[in-house]
Amino acid sequence: MDTYTPHNTRQDYLDAVRAFALLLGIVFHACLSFLPVYIGWAVMDISTSTVVGVFALVSHSFRMALFFLLAGFFSHMSYHRKGGAVFLKSRLLRIALPFVLGWILLRPLLVFAWVMGAQSMRGDVSLWPALQEGASSMLAASQTLLTGTHLWFLYYLLLVTLSVLCVRALTVRFQPAYRLLSKSLDAALAWLCHSSLVVLALAVPTAGCMWLMGQWGLDTPDKSLVPHWPVYCIYGGCFTLGWLMHRQSDLIPAFSRLSWQKLLVALTAIVVTILTSPYERQPGHPHIVYIALAFKFSYSVMMWSLIALMIGLFRHYLDRPNKVIRYLADASYWLYLIHLPIVIWLQIAFAEVSWHWGIKWALVFGIAIGLSLVLYDLCVRSTFIGATLNGQRKNRSLFAVG
């Protein structure tokens, strides 16, 4: 038996944080065509800004890590509420099934969008060849399975979940050692979460993993089914931390406690990260190793500081039932799954329009979220798709009948 303090009541602010992390991902993808440096994205807009680069750097550092931490927290809750067998079945339905079906349905659309974006930048758009290439991508070799899609997060979520369940199944067989290990982990985590050094302590192993990555920031592991082990360790660590935090009801509040010190640490880390990031393009700099070390550590501190602060802000302001937040929390998984083709098509449509980048960026993510919400309410929420993604069918809200 687990020795944990159960607290299975719905915590509205954590649902809101999870929705925020996924919606932030949509805003993040919507900004990539407005970066001042071409990064290999589908299209590059004629209006760009360094402000967008700063937003991309900061938001990318913590949004998916925050999602994995909350996924671990809610997974532990679900595991002990439903039991191991039912939990595993639900994870396969809610993670593996959307991953497979999402790839089948979305990959051709994304490849089509990528081809159209490249044609747009050359000034030679041809719809039919782009459609043909999108359709033929279904026959791509397995080593390119994840390439060009955003569904890698489901693949890693499934890997991490199965890893945690396997470790638990192996250790629980040896009850005396398991109880001792559980008590030791609980005590260590309780001390850590209540400590003012929690952010710095978590940043050290994170920075170690980041040192093994191909770029200075967090890599996106969307090139192969072979796990990118540094990314796996970071997101797996976030998931495991969330899993263990659910065992004691006071850990999330302690970890996310708001303070001026935590805010100052976050702001300092953000400034250092922004100031050191340009040196990634200067590999010949005589002090490049030390600058890279400073960047990776400050990036890790920024990541954990923002995770803690975001949870704390939502706990302070949204720790109460709210129908709108509840609806967005239910819809957020679908929104994130479906958004990317819509975002890229909109970016292509606005790329040559001579408007300010801020206006176009807002239109891209605003229209993408709006269209995805309409599809969710009409075609998902009250159907078997909604039951798969949310655990149960729910009545329409935007287009309620009768």
Side-chain angles (χ1 to χ4, degrees):
M1 294 293 291
D2 273 317
T3 55
Y4 77 101
T5 303
H7 50 111
N8 293 332
T9 56
R10 198 89 201 180
Q11 300 187 56
D12 296 279
Y13 75 94
L14 291 180
D15 283 320
V17 177
R18 182 170 54 181
F20 165 77
L22 292 174
L23 292 174
L24 182 61
I26 300 176
V27 180
F28 168 79
H29 287 138
C31 86
L32 296 181
S33 64
F34 305 103
L35 291 173
V37 178
Y38 181 64
I39 61 168
W41 189 245
V43 65
M44 186 173 183
D45 202 275
I46 62 172
S47 177
T48 63
S49 173
T50 56
V51 174
V52 179
V54 171
F55 170 83
L57 176 67
V58 175
S59 63
H60 185 60
S61 71
F62 76 97
R63 63 180 182 86
M64 198 53 72
L66 175 58
F67 171 80
F68 271 83
L69 185 143
L70 294 175
F73 184 92
F74 286 116
S75 292
H76 189 271
M77 177 189 295
S78 179
Y79 181 90
H80 287 281
R81 178 185 293 167
K82 299 176 179 178
V86 176
F87 171 78
L88 182 58
K89 180 181 177 181
S90 71
R91 295 305 95 176
L92 291 175
L93 283 174
R94 298 186 67 182
I95 301 174
L97 185 61
F99 173 67
V100 174
L101 293 180
W103 181 83
I104 293 172
L105 297 173
L106 293 178
R107 181 180 167 86
L109 299 177
L110 286 165
V111 173
F112 164 64
W114 228 265
V115 173
M116 287 288 290
Q119 292 175 346
S120 172
M121 288 189 288
R122 293 195 305 267
D124 182 27
V125 176
S126 182
L127 185 63
W128 180 243
L131 283 170
Q132 287 180 312
E133 189 165 343
S136 66
S137 72
M138 293 294 294
L139 304 176
S142 60
Q143 62 263 28
T144 63
L145 180 65
L146 296 180
T147 303
T149 79
H150 59 304
L151 301 178
W152 63 265
F153 83 103
L154 292 176
Y155 180 62
Y156 277 76
L157 183 57
L158 188 62
L159 288 180
V160 168
T161 302
L162 293 176
S163 298
V164 169
L165 292 179
C166 287
V167 170
R168 186 187 183 282
L170 288 173
T171 56
V172 80
R173 294 170 65 91
F174 307 96
Q175 278 298 314
Y178 177 70
R179 284 194 291 268
L180 178 62
L181 178 62
S182 296
K183 290 180 180 179
S184 301
L185 282 174
D186 287 344
L189 193 58
W191 175 85
L192 181 64
C193 288
H194 286 86
S195 170
S196 59
L197 300 176
V198 58
V199 166
L200 298 178
L202 292 171
V204 171
T206 304
C209 291
M210 290 191 60
W211 189 255
L212 303 175
M213 294 192 182
Q215 59 181 9
W216 280 22
L218 271 170
D219 286 344
T220 300
D222 62 349
K223 301 298 186 291
S224 171
L225 288 175
V226 177
H228 185 308
W229 293 114
V231 173
Y232 170 87
C233 289
I234 288 179
Y235 292 139
C238 292
F239 183 96
T240 304
L241 182 63
W243 179 281
L244 294 174
M245 278 182 168
H246 183 259
R247 292 163 57 91
Q248 302 176 71
S249 60
D250 65 328
L251 292 194
I252 282 280
F255 169 74
S256 61
R257 184 172 54 247
L258 297 175
S259 67
W260 286 108
Q261 293 89 338
K262 192 172 290 182
L263 179 60
L264 181 61
V265 168
L267 292 175
T268 302
I270 290 171
V271 170
V272 173
T273 303
I274 293 171
L275 291 178
T276 54
S277 62
Y279 289 93
E280 184 177 6
R281 297 187 294 274
Q282 303 178 35
H285 193 282
H287 303 298
I288 192 64
V289 173
Y290 301 107
I291 298 173
L293 280 171
F295 174 90
K296 290 176 184 292
F297 183 70
S298 64
Y299 188 99
S300 302
V301 173
M302 174 176 68
M303 182 183 91
W304 284 107
S305 298
L306 291 174
I307 289 173
L309 287 170
M310 289 301 162
I311 296 175
L313 286 171
F314 277 77
R315 184 169 63 88
H316 183 76
Y317 291 106
L318 292 174
D319 191 14
R320 63 188 65 86
N322 183 294
K323 290 183 178 180
V324 174
I325 298 298
R326 177 74 259 162
Y327 183 87
L328 288 175
D330 291 338
S332 59
Y333 188 17
W334 161 262
L335 296 183
Y336 194 79
L337 289 177
I338 200 67
H339 82 277
L340 195 55
I342 303 173
V343 163
I344 296 176
W345 294 339
L346 289 168
Q347 288 173 329
I348 294 170
F350 287 118
E352 301 296 324
V353 178
S354 57
W355 295 347
H356 188 271
W357 61 266
I359 296 174
K360 292 194 280 187
W361 180 16
L363 286 172
V364 169
F365 72 74
I367 294 172
I369 291 174
L371 285 176
S372 301
L373 275 175
V374 169
L375 289 173
Y376 171 74
D377 206 74
L378 286 175
C379 308
V380 174
R381 185 172 171 84
S382 60
T383 69
F384 71 95
I385 305 174
T388 301
L389 299 180
N390 297 330
Q392 60 180 339
R393 302 186 188 204
K394 298 186 179 183
N395 294 329
R396 294 176 179 175
S397 294
L398 300 179
F399 301 95
V401 179

